[in-house]
Amino acid sequence: MQITTPSFKDNARRALGDSDLRRALDNMKTGFVGKRLLAVERLPEFDALRDDARDIKEHVLENLDAYLERFEARVKEQGGQVHWCRDADEARRVMLEICRDAGARTVTKSKSMIGEEIAINEHLEANGIEPVETDLGEYIIQLRREPPSHIIAPAIHLSKEQVADAFRQKHGQFPGDRPLDEPRALVDEARAVLRQRYFDADVGITGANMLVAETGSVVIVTNEGNADLTMTLPPVHIVLASIEKVVPTLEDAATILRVLARSATGQEMSVYTTFCTGPRRSGDADGPEAFHVVLLDNGRSALLGGEFHDILRCIRCGACLNHCPVYSAIGGHAYGWVYPGPMGAVLTPGLIGLEQAADLPNATTFCGKCEEVCPMRIPLPKMMRYWRDREFEARLTPTLSRLGLAAWTFLALRPALYRVATGLVIGILGALGRNRGRFRRLPLAGGWTAARDLPAPQGRTFMRLWAQRRRGRP
Amino acid sequence: MTAKALDVGLFVTCLVDLMRPVVGFAAVKLLEDAGCAVSVPPGQTCCGQPAYNSGDRGSARRIARQVIAACEGIEHVVVPSGSCAGMIKVHYPELFADEPETAARAEALARRTHELVSFLAGALEGAGIDAEYRGAVTYHDACSGLRELAIKEQPRALLRRVRGLELKESREAETCCGFGGTFCVKYPDISESIVDLKVDDAIASGADTLLSGDLGCLLNIAGRLKRRASPMRVRHVAEVLAGMTDGPAIAEGRGG
Ligand code: SF4
């Protein structure tokens, strides 16, 4: 996947001008946000569950190596294999090898953000293997050859008309004049196309919402059941998961599931919650003959114990995106890589480097809504500020901002000088703006006045007026 | 009035000092009417948020030290801004995490610091509020005040005591206005889109006046309203509570 994060500002500008996108994002807000609120109100112990969920993940992160090894041992006991991969390259290599060994020509895939992170589809295609996305949203964006714009709703940026267009273009097997106005018709058509692809696939690749150390199970939730078909029909199942997905017990998994769907879509549970453990055993009705877990680090272990440690608790529910005023304005593509919104603003610089992602931790108002809704109580604004600290230290902050800041600090630390200097400027601006009370334009204030008038100051500073009052002069 | 007047120091904030001193005088009046003896510590300038939020921790710490020194010995420090009060109450102690001695002083200051409206409604129990405002008012919950200091009911409780004032809630009262300090000038397009939602929502409430407790947000909202030629008036909540609404509202002139 091509990284366009460095051109965040241009991406955002383009997104703001896209009326289809704006409409789609409006729908998202009324959908996800409203439903989450209702779900939370129906569960009085929701906040207590959030604490439990946070504590579980925190405990895991402190003992990550032990739980991962326990998970590996359980998977092996059940006849599965675990592949430890340091980075995207290694993971791609391992997965291609497994596919080649299976003689794979097509693989089905259920939605996986880690798959996006390592760009597995591109890699398989380049090596003559066709990946077929089976999550409806993922399938649509695969047809359109674009990246997901949301971590749980990859095609949220599209209208149903745009989806219908894509289907007409790519599904040549159906009559050109078929009606595709209703969402139902779109779903039925996708289902008809995908049905055969499930049976044809040689390998099924899924992500994982959690890995359970106690049993070696993989937990996957979907609303379409596509992951179940992806993992049970082909002879080989590859689970692609990052290392922080592990939890100690089934009980812990259940606790996290209780906050996950509520935070994500406002559902009490996702429609399908599947625990799969190892390959098919004798006597099993179905299931793959081979079961592989690809465990990816890709920069995560370097975040452990540091300033960005807490982001490793993230369960990818998407609540912080849904509630973010910036994400709601520009959508996910503007962020330029796999993870958008507040969690992306924290995670992306850690994974692709701060230089490339320098805008992301700055493009937030620090409104704090993300932290308020995060089921894992991740202090997202605080970590965005940590990134800003690093940018400042590394002199990535734009020169003009640095100079302005230095001048302001210089004055702020010298109250007497500050009074004189600010008094002067404020006096002039106050006089100039006295009649209208505002400025439409002002030198050096272009950033402000592009979209709004600049209210004029009242003319004299409080400190000066206060001093006069103390001396008994009006 | 209680036997001994509460000793209150006003930390006026740089925006109020420079842009809208009437908010500072409204705060003084409200505090005095509630029986406080108000002083204005002379060594104050800015709380350091611009540096802190731009990643310049060194400057933020230097400014914070100055504020801590300026407020030493004052029983209650009152701030007419949720974000500046939040800076002192929540972020100063964090800033000095590696300097136990200063951290202790920062924590002591944090405990003694109060956002104006919550202090008026809390410790002062709404004493002395005696104002009239003819208008329908909607209240914008500025983010830092709401989420860092749990300011939600306090301003509404006080506004209900203002004669003639009708409170009309906006659906998105808790949604960010897109100001975000330097965010609004670094990402003006995004900020514009966010403040437009805020403005649409405020207008839809049917109110003729928008109030809030943070001047940054108010300058942003008023500036956008005026750019859109809206007649809605914008004021700091303290102006209305103190009955000091004779002068022009924010971004409105004397010359018509
Ligand atoms: S950071 Fe929190 S709210 Fe955002 S996706 Fe992760 S768990 Fe969900």
Side-chain angles (χ1 to χ4, degrees), chain A residues 359 372 389 419 451-453, chain B residues 44 57 147 187 220 224:
Chain A
D359 264 313
E372 182 186 302
D389 293 348
R419 306 262 180 266
R452 15 176 149 50
D453 291 357
Chain B
Q44 59 174 295
R57 257 170 209 259
R147 302 202 175 86
Y187 302 93
N220 176 45
R224 186 62 190 164

Side-chain angles (χ1 to χ4, degrees), chain A residues 151-152 260 263-264 310-311 313-321 340 342-344 370-371 373-378 380:
Chain A
I151 58 175
I152 67 159
L260 174 59
S263 301
D310 293 355
I311 194 63
R313 291 204 301 269
C314 174
I315 53 172
R316 307 290 188 267
C317 72
C320 58
L321 282 62
M343 58 79 65
C370 50
E371 183 174 356
V373 297
C374 174
M376 305 305 287
R377 300 201 188 279
I378 299 173
L380 295 152

Side-chain angles (χ1 to χ4, degrees), chain A residues 8-9 12-13 16 22 26 29-30 325-326 329-330 358-360 362-369 372 382 385-386 388-390 392-393 397-398 401 405-406 408-409 411-415 418-419 422-423 426 433-441 445-466 469-470, chain B residues 10 12 14 16-25 28 32 38-46 50-57 59 62-63 66 91 94 143-144 146-148 171 174-176 178-195 197 216 218-220 222-224 226-227 248 250-256:
Chain A
F8 173 82
K9 279 188 181 161
R13 199 164 306 130
L16 287 164
R22 303 302 296 278
D26 278 352
K29 252 193 299 189
T30 41
V326 175
I330 62 176
D359 264 313
L360 301 193
N362 289 292
T364 102
T365 63
F366 280 157
C367 77
K369 187 73 190 177
E372 182 186 302
K382 183 167 157 180
R385 194 181 287 107
Y386 285 149
R388 295 185 189 189
D389 293 348
R390 295 214 180 169
F392 192 86
E393 279 159 29
T397 316
S401 308
L405 207 57
W408 178 253
T409 304
L411 278 180
L413 289 171
R414 291 165 182 78
Y418 175 95
R419 306 262 180 266
T422 54
I426 290 306
R434 190 178 159 83
N435 276 339
R436 283 196 74 231
R438 56 188 181 268
F439 303 98
R440 273 194 84 82
R441 209 168 281 118
W448 180 281
T449 55
R452 15 176 149 50
D453 291 357
L454 179 68
Q458 287 185 307
R460 270 179 285 177
T461 66
F462 176 86
M463 293 310 264
R464 172 151 172 225
L465 292 166
W466 180 255
R469 174 175 139 166
R470 299 301 301 272
Chain B
L10 183 70
V12 73
C14 62
V16 168
D17 177 32
L18 305 183
M19 299 297 287
R20 204 157 171 83
V22 66
V23 175
F25 286 104
V28 171
E32 286 180 344
V38 181
S39 63
V40 177
Q44 59 174 295
T45 54
C46 158
Y52 184 58
N53 288 339
S54 302
D56 183 359
R57 257 170 209 259
S59 297
R62 284 198 292 280
I63 295 174
Q66 175 174 281
H91 299 285
E94 281 173 22
C143 297
S144 307
L146 175 69
R147 302 202 175 86
E148 287 182 346
R171 287 184 44 173
E174 292 188 4
T175 301
C176 176
F179 170 62
T182 54
F183 169 83
C184 70
V185 292
K186 281 191 193 148
Y187 302 93
D189 316 331
I190 305 175
S191 176
E192 175 182 346
S193 151
I194 300 175
V195 70
L197 294 178
L218 292 167
L219 295 171
N220 176 45
R224 186 62 190 164
K226 289 303 155 210
R227 180 60 59 90
I250 298 173
E252 277 173 17
R254 293 171 191 277

Side-chain angles (χ1 to χ4, degrees), chain B residues 151-204:
Chain B
I151 300 169
K152 177 73 191 179
E153 260 316 301
Q154 304 91 319
R156 289 168 174 83
L158 296 181
L159 286 170
R160 273 185 223 111
R161 306 168 70 144
V162 176
R163 292 182 302 278
L165 182 146
E166 184 192 356
L167 197 57
K168 294 197 171 195
E169 289 293 344
S170 297
R171 287 184 44 173
E172 301 281 334
E174 292 188 4
T175 301
C176 176
C177 75
F179 170 62
T182 54
F183 169 83
C184 70
V185 292
K186 281 191 193 148
Y187 302 93
D189 316 331
I190 305 175
S191 176
E192 175 182 346
S193 151
I194 300 175
V195 70
D196 261 342
L197 294 178
K198 172 68 27 184
V199 163
D200 288 342
D201 182 57
I203 293 172

Side-chain angles (χ1 to χ4, degrees), chain B residues 75-135:
Chain B
E75 211 178 311
H76 302 282
V77 175
V78 172
V79 189
S81 153
S83 73
C84 306
M87 178 72 192
I88 297 174
K89 285 182 81 64
V90 179
H91 299 285
Y92 275 15
E94 281 173 22
L95 261 180
F96 297 104
D98 57 350
E99 254 182 71
E101 214 170 290
T102 320
R105 289 173 67 203
E107 262 152 39
L109 175 60
R111 276 192 298 275
R112 297 184 341 258
T113 299
H114 315 271
E115 185 274 338
L116 173 69
V117 177
S118 36
F119 189 64
L120 293 171
L124 302 180
E125 298 171 347
I129 292 197
D130 176 20
E132 180 170 339
Y133 187 80
R134 299 268 150 223

Side-chain angles (χ1 to χ4, degrees), chain A residues 178-197:
Chain A
R178 66 197 183 279
L180 284 176
D181 310 326
E182 290 304 313
R184 185 76 249 165
L186 295 170
V187 173
D188 287 346
E189 180 163 317
R191 183 174 285 163
V193 174
L194 285 173
R195 176 137 233 107
Q196 193 53 44
R197 319 268 3 212

